[in-house]
C-alpha cells in the first residue's frame, strides 16, 4: 500500500508566490478553515475531490500536490460489525488515518518489552479452560465477576490500549474497531460506550484473545477460538455446571429467571451463559437446551434501570461532560493513553483536528474534549 501525504513544502511555496493563504483555500473549496488547518498540521488528509480542487486552485499536478510512498508499517485494522454491515472505502481510509495519528502518541508511552502470547494455541474447550485459569492467576483475577479494571490490566500487559468512544446508539455501524500499529507492535481497541452493557465484556475478551493468539492465521478458526475463549473467561464451564445442578428442571420457564439473574449479576450476556451451559451438557452427554431469541427476551425481562448502555452505567446519564469523559478513560480504560495525549499537548502540535481524528467524533465534541485536556494540563502545572 502507498502512504499519502501532502507536499506541504511545495504547497506553501506556491501559496506564498501567489499571495494566497489557507483562508483562500477554504473559501475556494467551500470548506471550513478548520479543515484546511488540519491538512496543513498533518492531522487529516483531504478527500479525493478536495485534492483535485486543491490541485486546480494552485495550478499544480496531482503528483506535485500528493507525495506517495510504500508504507510497510501501514496500520492494520478490523471492524467489529453490527450485523452484516459492509464498510466503505472511506471508512477504511478513515481508520488508517486514525492509526497514523495514534503513532504520534507512541513516544509518550512506556511500552512493555514482553507481551503475553500463547504458543501453539488450540481451539479445544479443555485447553482454553486451563489457559483462562492461568491468565486469571497471572493478573490476580479471583472472582467469577470480572471487573472492568481487571480487563484493562491484561490489555496494558499486552501493549494494548482501550479507547471508549461515544458513537451513538441508532446509526452506528460498528461496535468496536481494532487497530494494530506494526512498527510499535501496539494495539488500539475502540469500543462504543453507547452500546448495551451486557455485550461489552465479551467484545473486550474476544479482542484480547486475538492479541494473545497471533499464531492462529485462519480467520474462521481465530474467530471461533476468540468466541470460546471469551465465553470461558466470563462464565467458566465449572460455573455452568453449578448453575445446571441448581435448576429445578430444563423447562424454559425454570431456566430463564436463573440464567437472567446470573447475567445481571456478572454484567454479561445471557447468550454467553446459555452457550456455556450447552457446552457443559454436551460434555456429559446430556440433551442440549434450546432457547430461541434469548437476548430479545432478556431485554424485555430487564427493569428499566438495568436495560442501559455503558454510557448510562458509568455516568448515570446519556451524555457526559467532556471532563467526566476524559476522567473515565483515565480511571477505567487507559491511563497511558490519556497521559500520552496530555504529554503530546505540551510537546507537539496539539490541535482540535488531532483530537477529532483520534476519537473519530464531531468537530464540536472534539473542541470540548480538546479544552478539557488542555484545562487539566494547565491545572496540573498550577498545582505543581
Amino acid at each position: 500500500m502507498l502512504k499519502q501525504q501532502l507536499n506541504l513544502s511545495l504547497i506553501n511555496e506556491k501559496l506564498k508566490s501567489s499571495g494566497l493563504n489557507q483562508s483562500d483555500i477554504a473559501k475556494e473549496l467551500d470548506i471550513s478553515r478548520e479543515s484546511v488547518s488540519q491538512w496543513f498540521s498533518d492531522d487529516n488528509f483531504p478527500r479525493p475531490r478536495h485534492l483535485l480542487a486543491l490541485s486546480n486552485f494552485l495550478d499544480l499536478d496531482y503528483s506535485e500536490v500528493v507525495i506517495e510512498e510504500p508504507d510497510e508499517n501501514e496500520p492494520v485494522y478490523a471492524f467489529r460489525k453490527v450485523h452484516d454491515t459492509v464498510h466503505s472505502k472511506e471508512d477504511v481510509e478513515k481508520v488508517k488515518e486514525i492509526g497514523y495519528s495514534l503513532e504520534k502518541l507512541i513516544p509518550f508511552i512506556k511500552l512493555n518489552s514482553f507481551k503475553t502470547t500463547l504458543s501453539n494455541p488450540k481451539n479445544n474447550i479443555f485447553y482454553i479452560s486451563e489457559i483462562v485459569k492461568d491468565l486469571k492467576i497471572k493478573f490476580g483475577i479471583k472472582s467469577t465477576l470480572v471487573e472492568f479494571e481487571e480487563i484493562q490490566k491484561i490489555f496494558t500487559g499486552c501493549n494494548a490500549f482501550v479507547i471508549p468512544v461515544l458513537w451513538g446508539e441508532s446509526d452506528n455501524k460498528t461496535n468496536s474497531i481494532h487497530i494494530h500499529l506494526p512498527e510499535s507492535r501496539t494495539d488500539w481497541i475502540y469500543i462504543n460506550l453507547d452500546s448495551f452493557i451486557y455485550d461489552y465484556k465479551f467484545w473486550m475478551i474476544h479482542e484480547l484473545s486475538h492479541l494473545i493468539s497471533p499464531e492462529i492465521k485462519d480467520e474462521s478458526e481465530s474467530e471461533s477460538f476468540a468466541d470460546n475463549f471469551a465465553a470461558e473467561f466470563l462464565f467458566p464451564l465449572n460455573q455452568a455446571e453449578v448453575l445446571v445442578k441448581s435448576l429445578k428442571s430444563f423447562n424454559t420457564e425454570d431456566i430463564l429467571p436463573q440464567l437472567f439473574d446470573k447475567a445481571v449479576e456478572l454484567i454479561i450476556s445471557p447468550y454467553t451463559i446459555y452457550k456455556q451451559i450447552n457446552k457443559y451438557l454436551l460434555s456429559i452427554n446430556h440433551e442440549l437446551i434450546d432457547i430461541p431469541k434469548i437476548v430479545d427476551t432478556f431485554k424485555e425481562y430487564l427493569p428499566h434501570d438495568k436495560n442501559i448502555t455503558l454510557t448510562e452505567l458509568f455516568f448515570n446519564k446519556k451524555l457526559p461532560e467532556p471532563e467526566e469523559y476524559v476522567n473515565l478513560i483515565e480511571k477505567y480504560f487507559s491511563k497511558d493513553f490519556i497521559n500520552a495525549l496530555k504529554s503530546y499537548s505540551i510537546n507537539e502540535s496539539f490541535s482540535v483536528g488531532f483530537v477529532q481524528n483520534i476519537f473519530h467524533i464531531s468537530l464540536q465534541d472534539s473542541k470540548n474534549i480538546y479544552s478539557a485536556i488542555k484545562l487539566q494540563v494547565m491545572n496540573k502545572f498550577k498545582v505543581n
Side-chain angles (χ1 to χ4, degrees), residues 29-173:
L29 274 58
D30 193 24
I31 57 177
S32 70
R33 176 68 173 77
E34 179 70 29
S35 294
V36 177
S37 177
Q38 290 177 25
W39 299 350
F40 278 73
S41 60
D42 200 25
D43 289 333
N44 213 336
F45 191 75
R47 296 180 180 180
R49 62 186 175 88
H50 290 146
L51 284 173
L52 180 60
L54 180 62
S55 301
N56 291 335
F57 180 55
L58 298 178
D59 194 23
L60 293 171
D61 291 337
Y62 176 88
S63 59
E64 294 178 297
V65 172
V66 178
I67 300 174
E68 294 185 339
E69 55 186 23
D71 182 20
E72 59 184 22
N73 290 316
E74 180 180 73
V76 180
Y77 62 89
F79 291 102
R80 302 308 172 203
K81 304 175 182 179
V82 173
H83 305 302
D84 296 318
T85 301
V86 176
H87 290 83
S88 67
K89 183 178 180 181
E90 189 175 63
D91 291 333
V92 170
E93 291 303 318
K94 184 60 187 176
V95 169
K96 290 179 184 177
E97 285 179 28
I98 294 172
Y100 285 121
S101 294
L102 290 170
E103 286 180 338
K104 297 179 181 180
L105 300 180
I106 299 300
F108 305 102
I109 297 176
K110 184 178 180 181
L111 300 177
N112 295 304
S113 56
F114 178 76
K115 295 176 67 171
T116 300
T117 56
L118 303 177
S119 59
N120 193 27
K122 304 175 186 66
N123 196 6
N124 171 284
I125 59 172
F126 302 108
Y127 167 83
I128 290 174
S129 177
E130 291 304 310
I131 288 299
V132 165
K133 289 177 186 175
D134 291 344
L135 200 60
K136 285 185 174 181
I137 290 172
K138 178 178 180 179
F139 288 95
I141 301 174
K142 299 177 180 179
S143 172
T144 304
L145 171 61
V146 180
E147 303 287 356
F148 294 104
E149 301 96 316
E150 292 176 325
I151 295 176
Q152 183 50 46
K153 254 193 241 178
I154 307 176
F155 273 88
T156 301
C158 294
N159 284 339
F161 307 93
V162 181
I163 304 177
V165 284
L166 301 166
W167 285 339
E169 296 177 66
S170 57
D171 297 324
N172 62 301
K173 293 186 289 186

Side-chain angles (χ1 to χ4, degrees), residues 334-350:
S334 187
K335 185 176 182 179
D336 289 336
F337 166 65
I338 290 298
N339 286 340
L341 264 182
K342 291 178 180 178
S343 297
Y344 185 80
S345 74
I346 301 169
N347 296 283
E348 300 288 345
S349 178
F350 185 61

Side-chain angles (χ1 to χ4, degrees), residues 110-336:
K110 184 178 180 181
L111 300 177
N112 295 304
S113 56
F114 178 76
K115 295 176 67 171
T116 300
T117 56
L118 303 177
S119 59
N120 193 27
K122 304 175 186 66
N123 196 6
N124 171 284
I125 59 172
F126 302 108
Y127 167 83
I128 290 174
S129 177
E130 291 304 310
I131 288 299
V132 165
K133 289 177 186 175
D134 291 344
L135 200 60
K136 285 185 174 181
I137 290 172
K138 178 178 180 179
F139 288 95
I141 301 174
K142 299 177 180 179
S143 172
T144 304
L145 171 61
V146 180
E147 303 287 356
F148 294 104
E149 301 96 316
E150 292 176 325
I151 295 176
Q152 183 50 46
K153 254 193 241 178
I154 307 176
F155 273 88
T156 301
C158 294
N159 284 339
F161 307 93
V162 181
I163 304 177
V165 284
L166 301 166
W167 285 339
E169 296 177 66
S170 57
D171 297 324
N172 62 301
K173 293 186 289 186
T174 304
N175 286 326
S176 63
I177 299 175
H178 181 171
I179 301 175
H180 175 71
L181 303 182
E183 187 173 11
S184 60
R185 297 179 64 226
T186 57
D187 292 88
W188 304 77
I189 315 299
Y190 284 75
I191 185 78
N192 186 12
L193 283 177
D194 294 319
S195 301
F196 196 42
I197 60 170
Y198 301 93
D199 293 331
Y200 169 77
K201 291 180 184 179
F202 188 90
W203 291 335
M204 295 311 298
I205 302 300
H206 182 103
E207 291 298 333
L208 174 65
S209 167
H210 289 307
L211 293 177
I212 65 175
S213 59
E215 283 189 20
I216 305 178
K217 304 300 182 184
D218 181 79
E219 184 176 356
S220 177
E221 183 71 7
S222 179
E223 287 299 305
S224 176
F225 178 86
D227 284 345
N228 289 328
F229 181 88
E232 180 65 21
F233 199 99
L234 297 172
F235 195 69
L237 285 178
N238 60 1
Q239 292 297 314
E241 178 182 4
V242 171
L243 184 56
V244 166
K245 290 180 177 179
S246 70
L247 297 174
K248 295 178 181 178
S249 76
F250 283 91
N251 294 326
T252 303
E253 314 84 70
D254 294 329
I255 295 173
L256 284 183
Q258 284 184 258
L259 195 153
F260 287 170
D261 287 345
K262 183 60 69 173
V264 171
E265 175 191 336
L266 301 179
I267 319 180
I268 62 176
S269 171
Y271 185 76
T272 298
I273 299 175
Y274 165 57
K275 295 294 284 187
Q276 288 295 93
I277 287 175
N278 271 340
K279 283 181 191 174
Y280 168 70
L281 293 176
L282 183 64
S283 72
I284 60 172
N285 297 315
H286 191 285
E287 182 181 354
L288 305 185
I289 58 175
D290 181 27
I291 308 177
K293 297 184 178 180
I294 187 170
V295 174
D296 292 338
T297 307
F298 179 57
K299 289 183 178 181
E300 294 170 3
Y301 166 86
L302 286 171
H304 180 71
D305 64 338
K306 297 292 184 181
N307 192 352
I308 56 177
T309 64
L310 281 162
T311 306
E312 293 167 312
L313 173 68
F314 283 118
F315 301 108
N316 201 27
K317 54 186 175 182
K318 287 185 177 292
L319 190 62
E321 296 298 322
E323 189 169 355
E324 291 178 313
Y325 173 59
V326 172
N327 290 339
L328 174 81
I329 300 175
E330 185 170 8
K331 182 177 181 181
Y332 289 105
F333 293 92
S334 187
K335 185 176 182 179
D336 289 336

